[in-house]
Amino acid sequence: MFHLTGNRDNVKKIGIVITDGDSKSKATTFYEAHKARESGVTMVAIGVGDMDVEELRGIANGTDYLYTTKSYDTLRDLTKKMTALACESLY
């Protein structure tokens, strides 16, 4: 399922997963996130609403890349954090 195409060596690779529910297969979700991380992708997990934080931990690169928000309406509050993450390698 995970494919990294069209990538450039000098560009940071970020995968952002936004979810409001549990996956059908945690094992598959964790495996695909692991493959992405092994390929150099920084994985960010954003849970919307009442989420299983364990599953988000299995997706994200670490707790610094795990976010939760109460609703889709409040996703905008994460914009600055996501922009900083994407641009941190430029400084």
Side-chain angles (χ1 to χ4, degrees), residues 44-80:
V44 177
I46 302 173
V48 179
D50 223 2
M51 283 298 307
D52 176 3
V53 178
E54 176 191 344
E55 189 158 355
L56 296 174
R57 281 188 192 118
I59 296 168
N61 271 53
T63 56
D64 289 344
Y65 301 95
L66 187 155
Y67 302 93
T68 58
T69 186
K70 293 180 182 179
S71 69
Y72 283 102
D73 294 331
T74 58
L75 272 176
R76 186 168 302 203
D77 298 341
L78 296 174
T79 303
K80 286 184 182 179

Side-chain angles (χ1 to χ4, degrees), residues 3-41:
H3 302 284
L4 190 61
T5 59
N7 61 319
R8 296 174 290 172
D9 291 336
N10 60 337
V11 177
K12 187 170 186 171
K13 293 143 191 74
I14 301 172
I16 300 174
V17 176
I18 302 172
T19 181
D20 62 1
D22 297 333
S23 65
K24 294 180 192 233
S25 171
K26 282 186 185 183
T28 301
T29 299
F30 292 171
Y31 175 72
E32 294 296 335
H34 174 75
K35 282 180 23 181
R37 288 191 300 271
E38 280 189 333
S39 296
V41 177

